[in-house]
Amino acid sequence: MNADFESILRDAGQSITKPRQAVFETLKTTDEPLKNGEIAKRTPNIDRASVYRSLELFTKLGITTTTIRGWTPFTELAEPFKPHHHHMICEQCGRVEEIANDTLEDVLTLVANRHEFTLKSHTVELSGICKNCRADLPQPTAS
Ligand SMILES: [Zn+2]
Ligand SMILES: [Zn+2]
């Protein structure tokens, strides 16, 4: 896994620096997409600016993916470092759930094929209200 990471950097003409290695190690410790500030916090001994610069480079090179929620960027490892999945995000509490669903994948391929489009990658995010928050909502009264 580290070999891939290093060869991606090397192929891009980038060196394997201590901050870059440290940030990658931090990302490996979690499955959850994290706020960039949180990644910086979990990477001790590396200054915040270096963490942000590393993340920017990683995303450019496809090592990580960054999604903006509200105004906040969240970053996580991209494929092939993490299995393919999608996110379901609760608008109320911000909870992020990972989903992997073969039917979804098949449908996307089917749609692309129907449009004679060669699908190379896709991004799907579901946003809504999670189970916990739904329980807190006032139930509609029967009329
Ligand atoms: Zn929620
Ligand atoms: Zn997918």
Side-chain angles (χ1 to χ4, degrees):
M1 195 141 112
N2 275 358
D4 284 341
F5 162 71
E6 289 175 8
S7 60
I8 289 172
L9 284 180
R10 231 179 273 121
D11 291 349
Q14 299 284 344
S15 42
I16 297 136
T17 62
K18 210 176 144 230
R20 287 169 189 173
Q21 266 171 326
V23 171
F24 184 70
E25 288 306 315
T26 302
L27 291 166
K28 272 197 336 195
T29 61
T30 177
D31 275 343
E32 236 182 307
L34 296 176
K35 286 181 189 167
N36 291 358
E38 179 63 27
I39 296 169
K41 216 188 294 168
R42 293 190 191 187
T43 314
N45 308 322
I46 308 293
D47 67 282
R48 197 166 265 265
S50 304
V51 172
Y52 289 178
R53 271 200 307 272
S54 301
L55 289 173
E56 210 174 297
L57 177 72
F58 286 0
T59 295
K60 209 166 74 185
L61 298 179
I63 295 169
T64 52
T65 39
T66 299
T67 30
I68 312 285
R69 298 201 185 119
W71 296 100
T72 316
F74 283 75
T75 305
E76 68 178 320
L77 287 177
E79 295 162 58
F81 300 107
K82 234 185 137 169
H84 182 79
H85 66 277
H86 298 281
H87 295 131
M88 225 152 49
I89 306 136
C90 177
E91 288 173 354
Q92 213 131 316
C93 68
R95 206 169 88 104
V96 180
E97 207 173 318
E98 286 190 4
I99 43 170
N101 185 296
D102 289 340
T103 310
L104 174 64
E105 303 304 319
D106 291 346
V107 166
L108 292 171
T109 308
L110 200 82
V111 170
N113 287 345
R114 206 166 279 169
H115 290 266
E116 291 168 56
F117 183 82
T118 305
L119 188 64
K120 288 192 158 178
S121 72
H122 60 259
T123 331
V124 178
E125 274 201 353
L126 278 67
S127 104
I129 313 287
C130 78
K131 200 163 57 181
N132 296 344
C133 293
R134 236 166 51 164
D136 295 342
L137 286 179
Q139 297 303 312
T141 43
S143 51

